[in-house]
Amino acid sequence: MALELLMGNQAIALGAIRSGVGVVTGYPGTPSTEILETVAKRNPGIYVEWSVNEKSALEVAAGAAYAGFRTMVTMKQVGLNVASDPLMSLAYLGVKGGMVIVVADDPGPISSQTEQDTRHFGIFAKLPVFDPASPEEAYLMIGDAFEYSEKYNTPVLFRPTTRVCHGYATVDLEEKRFEVQAEGFVKDPKWAIFPRLSYLNHLKIEARQPVLSEDFSSYRYNSVQGNGKKGIAAGGISYAYTCEALSSLKGECKVFRVATPHPFPEKLALEFLTGLEEVLVIEELDPVIEKELVYLCGKHHLPVKIMGKLTQHIQNAGENSVESVSKAVAEFLQISIQPAKPSEDMPALPVRPPVLCAGCPHRASFYAVKQAMKGRKAVFSGDIGCYTLGNAKPLDMVDTCLCMGAGITIAQGLHRAEPDAVNFAFIGDSTFFHTGIPGVINAVYNETDIVLIILDNSTTAMTGHQPHPGTGKTMMGNISEKIKISEVLKALGVKHISTMNPFNLKDSSAAVKEAAANKGISAVIFKSPCIAVADPAPVYSVDSDKCTGCKLCIKELGCPAIVKDNAKVRIDASLCYGCSICAQVCPFKAIGGAN
């Protein structure tokens, strides 16, 4: 055993390595990204890949699991939407090697479009769900998940939330690694899904549910502790908050910890409910445990009052915290607590809205399009990535944002509704490979007039600069053939394609005007690397003698490196990356003279 301070995602990765995982696939998405990256970094001969999207990742892992390998797939909660098609069928077919699908939920949300609860996918697909409460627990629990997967020949969902993923704890690491002897793929009709087979497998799945429920009732991380007429049921990180709240409040009650919310451990739940009058359910995000307990009380005619999200005793949106849980527990147990006295000397926290980085090529790309469309009716459909921040003023260049790849197809729908407008679709290079290509095909096939703006910064920037098919690198460290976006577009039938350096504003604006004048789908690829993967150019400065204080550079660009300096402006040299856009915007030539 060796002690190591680990992030929750690192603990999950090392737990999977300890469990003998042989193939790990995924698509980057906060808060899940570091899991796959840690496996790649600590790799003892495991195959690791960033797949082009979550659907591909799940299918690659499924193929390896058919051959008997233990496999793991990583993604965030919205990524499971992309992978849901193979997930539903795989639930019917099953697997041979253990297969764990790690889906990190994001209560808050902190960095996501939705607060969706992955436990519902477990119920929908009739798959087991594991819900760790801490990094230490996640390290061990993922090994249990592999074992249950192989025991019942089914993929399982492993659902950490943001505070488990990004929390740190000291973990006892085991040196011995489980050895998996994979026999390889054995041809069998069971691997090809057909209606008759689906029907028979559905019957097996339904028969398996009560067996798993019984099994989970004795699972080591499901427990009932304490006594009294009142009880608290909790799962995931909310269980850890509950334990902390009870400890600080000196409160006593019966506590039901639910580590496997589906299939629900009914036998253990009934043991918990026996003798109780009231139960408070604390969970993120939806009332999954709460509804199960309400159902059991009705089924077994138990006179127990169940309270939680459905009764407004626990908040319906956002993440729980030690403070919010302590307040709810104190009210439930009728314990008075003294509110914390605010410090008179404590200043208010500054408001820091997220912005594009100083020197970000996306700012230049947005500005070039904005200048080109001055005086014209135009709608700008955005997508998921750093460039979503183009919605902020003063750029104000993202009118819609739905989900990965949707900007291209949303623009097509807008064109059909308002053909007199110029409809733009912005998409990043990684997102283009993820789900953008089908939208392009749709536009070409249906002869739709849109302007596609591809923001190619040579990385998957928003999630931590992971490689993608256009970078020429893989997660295994290999150098692969770069897939050129321009050649993909040409092969798809896009006739008008131009590639521009966005920091050349004059030429970039001209290219956008030309693209907007064409019929059908036109594409402008703005190609310039993210500042995190490129060396900065010499910084720019402001000539105070020439600066008139018009602040047009601030009003037009919103670059965080340009700041007010009394009546004039100056450039913060610690932030400037020498992109030159401000110099091109300044009408008085007051910016330039790189140091």
Side-chain angles (χ1 to χ4, degrees), residues 185-189 191:
F185 182 69
V186 178
K187 292 187 178 184
D188 191 304
W191 299 123

Side-chain angles (χ1 to χ4, degrees), residues 16 70 90 256:
R70 283 190 168 183
L90 191 61
F256 178 30

Side-chain angles (χ1 to χ4, degrees), residues 8 21 57 173 233 249 314 336-337 340 373 439 444 534:
V21 70
L173 299 180
L249 294 169
I314 300 294
S336 61
I337 54 175
M373 288 297 105
V444 172

Side-chain angles (χ1 to χ4, degrees), residues 132-143:
S134 67
E136 307 100 306
E137 196 172 276
Y139 172 74
L140 297 171
M141 188 183 285
I142 198 158

Side-chain angles (χ1 to χ4, degrees), residues 321-376:
S321 65
V322 172
E323 292 76 19
S324 69
V325 170
S326 295
K327 183 175 182 293
V329 170
E331 290 176 357
F332 177 64
L333 298 180
Q334 298 180 331
I335 298 173
S336 61
I337 54 175
Q338 295 296 325
K341 293 182 180 180
S343 172
E344 296 179 0
D345 300 327
M346 186 69 70
L349 290 174
V351 177
R352 292 194 179 101
V355 295
L356 294 170
C357 299
C360 176
H362 299 337
R363 178 178 287 103
S365 302
F366 280 128
Y367 191 72
V369 176
K370 189 173 186 176
Q371 293 300 104
M373 288 297 105
K374 270 191 173 180
R376 296 195 64 180

Side-chain angles (χ1 to χ4, degrees), residues 8 53 86 140 179-180 207 210 212 271 284 390 417 479 517:
N53 60 28
L140 297 171
E179 296 295 332
V180 177
L212 258 168
E271 178 187 324
E284 295 173 335
I479 303 299

Side-chain angles (χ1 to χ4, degrees), residues 436-486:
I437 294 173
V440 175
I441 296 172
N442 195 70
V444 172
Y445 173 58
N446 290 293
E447 300 178 312
T448 310
D449 298 341
I450 64 169
V451 181
L452 175 62
I453 304 293
I454 298 180
L455 307 170
D456 184 356
N457 63 358
S458 301
T459 189
T460 312
M462 193 176 198
T463 52
H465 311 104
Q466 293 78 26
H468 61 67
T471 64
K473 295 179 182 178
T474 72
M475 205 56 184
M476 294 294 289
N478 301 329
I479 303 299
S480 64
E481 185 72 24
K482 285 185 181 181
I483 298 178
K484 295 181 180 178
I485 294 175
S486 59

